[in-house]
C-alpha cells in the first residue's frame, strides 16, 4: 500500500507499461498485421508501410489486403463473382466464390485470375480512360467513368445543340477528347429504354429490329468512325438495378414521352414481359398546367421569375417538379368522389397548402399538387396496355416475367425459383427512374397500390396475406446510369466479354450474364 492510497493494480496501468521495451511491430502475429493493413485506405500508405521490412512487404502487398482495398473502392466489382458481369461484392443476388480457409496472407487471386493488386491498378487506369454516355429522349448525360457525376447534362432533341444522331460526336468534343487520342479510350453507352422490348410499337418502341439497327449504328460510329479501343453497350434497366447492387428486379422508367416497365432476371431483360404505358412526364406537365389554370395561377412569364423568358408550359413544368406530390392513398377514397372532378376538388375548404418559389414569385398550391399525381394511378377502364395505371402495368409486367420463367423463356436465378416466390421477389425489387419518378411520395403510393392488387389476386388468403410482408416502397435510382456505368468500367465486363463485331472490329455488347 502506497502513501495516501492503494497501490495500482495491473489492470489500472497504461497498456504501454505492459509491453516489453524490446517488442516491435515485427513481433506481432501476422493476423494482427493483416488487420492493421486492412484499415488503410490509401495506396500511398500501403506502399510506404511495405518498405519498412521484408515482413511488412509480404503483408502489405498481400492479395488479402489489396482485395479489401478493391472492395472499399468498388474496383473490379464483379471479379469476385465469376457467374455474373454486372455484380458487386455485397449485392444480395451474388454468390461469392469459395475462399481458402487460410485466408490471411496466403496468395489469393480474383475470379479473373489476376492478383488483386493488379486489379486495383488496371481498374484505376480504366476509369480515367472510359467514356460513359447515357442518352434519353429528352436529355443526354455523359462524362468520364472516373468522375462521380456526369460532366455534361444537355437537351438532346431535334432543333437543339445536340440530337440523337449527333450525340456521340458532340459528347467526345465537349469532353475535350482529341481524335488522335481516342484509340486509347473505351466507351460505355447505355441502351435507351425504348429498345427494351421485342415488339415493334413504332418510333417510341421500335422493338428488336430497331434495337439491332441502333446498336449497329452505335458500333459503327464509335469503333469505326472515332476509333475507340472498345465499346460496351449495356441496357439502361440493368444499369439502374446495378446502381442499387441488384441484378434482378423491375425498373419503372417514367420518361419524357412514355413509361417503360422492364423486368430483369440475372442481368438479362425479360423482353417478352416489358410493358409500355402512355403515361409520361410530358403528359403530367400538361395536366399540371391545366390544374394551375383552373386554380387561378398565372403561368405567363414575368420579369420577377428571373432568367430568360420561357413559355407558360415550361413554367408549369418547373412548378410541377418542385411541388407535385402523390397522396398516400387514393384521393377517390379520401374525397368520396372522383379526384378528376376538378371544380368540386378546388372548392374544398381543407387544402394542404404548399408554397413553391419560382425566382422572385411564390405559388401557393393546394389540392392541385396531389390531383396531378392521381393521373399516374387513374383507372381509365381501357383494355389497351398503354392505358393501364402504373400499378397495374407493374403487376402485369411481373406476372408476364413469372409466366416467361414457367415457359422456359427466362431463368430465375437466386431471386426466387418460380411462381409466387419469384413474384414476391420482383415486387420487392422495384427501382424508379426518369425525371417524373422524383414525385414526392410516389414510391410509397406505388407500394400501397401494389399491395392492394396483391391481396385481390386469386388464392390470396387472409392467412397468407398476414404472413407475407407487403412490398417495400420502390427505390429511386440513387445515382445516374453513368454512376453504374462507371462501376461497370471498373469491373471485368469490359475486358472479358469483348468479341468481334460483324465489321471485324472489337466490340463489347455487355449483356450481363446470370447472377
Amino acid at each position: 500500500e502506497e502513501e495516501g492510497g492503494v497501490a495500482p493494480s495491473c489492470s489500472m496501468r497504461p497498456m504501454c507499461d505492459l509491453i516489453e521495451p524490446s517488442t516491435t511491430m515485427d513481433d506481432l502475429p501476422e493476423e494482427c498485421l493483416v488487420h492493421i493493413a486492412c484499415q488503410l485506405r490509401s495506396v500511398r500508405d500501403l506502399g510506404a508501410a511495405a518498405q519498412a521490412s521484408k515482413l511488412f512487404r509480404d503483408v502489405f502487398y498481400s492479395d488479402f489486403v489489396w482485395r479489401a482495398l478493391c472492395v472499399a473502392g468498388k474496383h473490379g466489382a464483379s471479379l469476385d463473382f465469376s457467374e455474373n458481369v454486372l455484380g458487386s461484392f455485397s449485392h444480395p443476388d451474388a454468390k461469392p466464390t469459395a475462399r481458402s480457409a487460410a485466408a490471411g496472407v496466403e496468395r489469393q487471386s480474383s475470379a479473373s485470375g489476376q492478383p488483386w493488386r493488379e486489379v486495383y491498378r488496371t481498374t484505376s487506369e480504366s476509369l480515367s480512360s472510359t467514356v460513359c454516355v447515357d442518352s434519353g429522349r429528352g436529355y443526354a448525360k455523359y462524362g468520364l467513368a472516373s468522375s462521380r457525376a456526369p460532366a455534361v447534362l444537355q437537351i438532346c432533341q431535334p432543333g437543339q445543340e445536340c440530337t440523337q444522331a449527333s450525340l456521340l460526336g458532340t459528347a467526345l468534343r465537349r469532353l475535350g477528347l482529341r481524335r488522335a487520342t481516342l484509340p486509347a479510350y473505351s466507351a460505355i453507352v447505355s441502351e435507351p429504354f425504348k429498345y427494351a422490348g421485342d415488339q415493334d410499337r413504332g418510333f417510341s418502341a421500335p422493338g428488336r429490329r430497331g434495337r439491332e439497327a441502333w446498336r449497329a449504328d452505335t458500333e459503327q460510329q464509335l469503333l469505326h468512325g472515332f476509333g475507340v479501343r472498345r465499346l460496351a453497350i449495356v441496357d439502361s434497366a440493368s444499369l439502374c438495378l446495378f446502381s442499387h447492387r441488384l441484378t434482378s428486379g423491375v425498373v419503372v422508367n417514367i420518361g419524357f414521352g412514355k413509361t417503360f416497365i422492364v423486368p430483369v432476371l440475372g442481368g438479362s431483360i425479360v423482353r417478352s414481359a416489358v410493358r409500355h404505358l402512355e403515361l409520361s412526364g410530358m403528359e403530367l406537365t400538361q395536366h399540371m398546367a391545366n390544374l394551375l389554370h383552373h386554380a387561378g395561377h398565372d403561368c405567363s412569364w414575368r420579369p420577377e421569375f428571373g432568367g430568360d423568358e420561357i413559355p407558360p408550359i415550361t413554367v408549369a413544368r418547373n412548378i410541377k417538379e418542385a411541388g407535385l406530390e402523390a397522396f398516400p392513398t387514393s384521393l377517390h377514397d379520401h374525397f368520396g368522389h372522383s379526384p378528376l372532378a376538378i371544380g368540386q376538388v378546388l372548392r374544398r375548404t381543407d387544402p394542404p397548402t404548399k408554397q413553391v418559389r419560382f425566382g422572385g414569385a411564390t405559388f401557393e398550391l393546394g389540392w392541385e399538387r396531389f390531383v396531378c399525381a392521381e393521373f399516374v394511378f387513374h383507372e381509365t377502364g381501357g383494355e389497351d396496355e398503354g392505358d393501364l395505371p402504373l400499378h397495374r402495368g407493374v403487376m402485369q409486367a411481373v406476372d408476364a416475367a413469372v409466366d416467361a420463367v414457367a415457359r422456359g423463356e427466362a431463368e430465375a436465378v437466386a431471386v426466387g425459383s418460380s411462381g409466387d416466390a419469384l413474384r414476391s421477389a420482383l415486387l420487392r425489387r422495384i427501382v424508379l427512374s426518369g425525371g417524373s419518378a422524383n414525385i414526392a411520395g410516389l414510391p410509397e403510393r406505388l407500394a400501397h397500390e401494389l399491395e392492394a392488387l396483391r391481396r385481390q389476386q386469386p388464392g390470396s388468403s387472409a392467412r397468407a396475406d398476414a404472413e407475407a410482408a407487403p412490398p417495400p416502397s420502390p427505390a429511386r435510382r440513387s445515382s445516374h446510369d453513368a454512376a453504374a456505368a462507371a462501376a461497370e468500367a471498373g469491373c471485368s465486363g469490359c475486358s472479358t466479354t469483348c468479341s468481334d463485331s460483324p465489321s471485324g472490329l472489337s466490340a463489347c455488347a455487355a449483356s450481363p450474364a446470370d447472377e
Side-chain angles (χ1 to χ4, degrees), residues 414-429:
V415 295
S417 56
S418 61
D420 291 339
L422 177 58
R423 180 179 292 103
S424 177
L426 289 176
L427 288 174
R428 299 183 68 84
R429 297 160 179 254

Side-chain angles (χ1 to χ4, degrees), residues 398-449:
V398 168
D399 289 342
V402 172
D403 291 343
V405 171
R407 295 192 301 268
E409 297 176 3
E411 183 179 359
V413 183
V415 295
S417 56
S418 61
D420 291 339
L422 177 58
R423 180 179 292 103
S424 177
L426 289 176
L427 288 174
R428 299 183 68 84
R429 297 160 179 254
I430 297 176
V431 174
L432 303 179
S433 75
S436 295
N438 290 319
I439 297 174
L442 180 61
E444 294 78 11
R445 175 64 181 278
L446 179 56
H448 170 81
E449 298 291 349

Side-chain angles (χ1 to χ4, degrees), residues 67 76-83 89 95-97 99 110-111 116:
R67 180 190 179 278
S78 76
L79 294 180
D80 201 35
F81 302 102
S82 58
E83 56 272 304
F89 289 109
K95 296 180 179 178
T97 54
R99 301 205 193 291
S110 62
W116 283 100

Side-chain angles (χ1 to χ4, degrees), residues 137 156-160 162-164:
R137 179 175 172 183
C156 183
Q157 294 179 5
Q160 300 294 331
C162 176
T163 65
Q164 290 291 337

Side-chain angles (χ1 to χ4, degrees), residues 442-506:
L442 180 61
E444 294 78 11
R445 175 64 181 278
L446 179 56
H448 170 81
E449 298 291 349
L450 287 173
E451 172 62 7
L453 279 182
R454 189 182 68 81
R455 290 176 177 272
Q456 295 171 10
Q457 288 184 333
S460 176
S461 64
R463 178 178 179 182
D465 287 346
E467 293 176 350
S473 299
R476 289 193 180 93
R477 183 174 57 186
S478 58
S479 57
H480 204 271
D481 282 352
E488 170 74 351
C491 75
S492 62
C494 283
S495 59
T496 62
T497 62
C498 291
S499 58
D500 291 336
S501 68
S503 61
L505 299 171
S506 178

Side-chain angles (χ1 to χ4, degrees), residues 157-514:
Q157 294 179 5
Q160 300 294 331
E161 175 189 2
C162 176
T163 65
Q164 290 291 337
S166 64
L167 170 61
L168 297 175
T170 301
L172 297 176
R173 185 179 69 254
R174 294 193 65 178
L175 291 174
L177 303 180
R178 294 180 293 110
R179 184 177 287 272
T181 65
L182 289 178
Y185 283 83
S186 299
I188 296 179
V189 180
S190 67
E191 178 186 277
F193 278 97
K194 71 177 185 178
Y195 297 117
D198 276 342
Q199 187 174 353
D200 188 349
R201 299 172 182 271
F203 172 78
S204 61
R208 180 192 298 272
R209 290 186 179 179
R211 179 173 66 251
E212 291 175 350
W214 176 84
R215 285 193 172 221
D217 181 65
T218 302
E219 289 181 8
Q220 178 71 16
Q221 287 190 61
L222 286 173
L223 292 172
H224 180 73
F226 295 108
V228 299
R229 180 177 56 184
R230 280 177 177 158
L231 168 65
I233 298 176
V234 189
D235 65 270
S236 291
S238 291
L239 287 176
C240 286
L241 289 174
F242 188 36
S243 69
H244 287 271
R245 297 182 178 181
L246 296 170
T247 54
S248 294
V250 181
V251 178
V252 180
N253 175 256
I254 308 177
F256 176 77
K258 211 177 240 319
T259 291
F260 299 94
I261 304 172
V262 186
V264 180
L265 291 174
S268 297
I269 293 177
V270 186
R271 299 194 183 275
S272 63
V274 174
R275 295 295 181 264
H276 311 80
L277 307 183
E278 295 302 324
L279 171 70
S280 66
M282 178 174 59
E283 181 185 3
L284 290 176
T285 295
Q286 293 171 341
H287 287 315
M288 191 65 179
N290 292 332
L291 287 167
L292 291 172
H293 173 73
H294 281 92
H297 298 291
D298 183 9
C299 291
S300 301
W301 186 87
R302 45 189 185 271
E304 62 182 308
F305 287 170
D308 298 331
E309 183 174 351
I310 55 177
I313 191 67
T314 305
V315 175
R317 183 202 65 186
N318 293 342
I319 295 174
K320 178 200 74 174
E321 292 178 351
L324 185 59
E325 293 186 42
F327 202 69
T329 58
S330 168
L331 279 183
H332 188 284
D333 296 341
H334 184 76
F335 292 156
H337 61 79
S338 171
L340 304 187
I342 306 302
Q344 191 174 353
V345 171
L346 295 179
R347 286 194 297 270
R348 294 180 64 93
T349 59
D350 58 344
T353 59
K354 177 180 180 179
Q355 290 188 341
V356 174
R357 293 191 60 82
F358 187 71
T362 300
F363 292 83
E364 187 170 279
L365 306 181
W367 281 113
E368 61 268 25
R369 66 189 171 100
F370 290 106
V371 172
C372 186
E374 285 299 297
F375 286 98
V376 176
F377 304 100
H378 178 57
E379 301 273 3
T380 64
E383 297 182 359
D384 187 73
E385 172 190 309
D387 297 329
L388 292 174
L390 183 61
H391 54 294
R392 291 194 181 276
V394 171
M395 188 64 79
Q396 191 178 101
V398 168
D399 289 342
V402 172
D403 291 343
V405 171
R407 295 192 301 268
E409 297 176 3
E411 183 179 359
V413 183
V415 295
S417 56
S418 61
D420 291 339
L422 177 58
R423 180 179 292 103
S424 177
L426 289 176
L427 288 174
R428 299 183 68 84
R429 297 160 179 254
I430 297 176
V431 174
L432 303 179
S433 75
S436 295
N438 290 319
I439 297 174
L442 180 61
E444 294 78 11
R445 175 64 181 278
L446 179 56
H448 170 81
E449 298 291 349
L450 287 173
E451 172 62 7
L453 279 182
R454 189 182 68 81
R455 290 176 177 272
Q456 295 171 10
Q457 288 184 333
S460 176
S461 64
R463 178 178 179 182
D465 287 346
E467 293 176 350
S473 299
R476 289 193 180 93
R477 183 174 57 186
S478 58
S479 57
H480 204 271
D481 282 352
E488 170 74 351
C491 75
S492 62
C494 283
S495 59
T496 62
T497 62
C498 291
S499 58
D500 291 336
S501 68
S503 61
L505 299 171
S506 178
C508 176
S511 297
D514 290 335

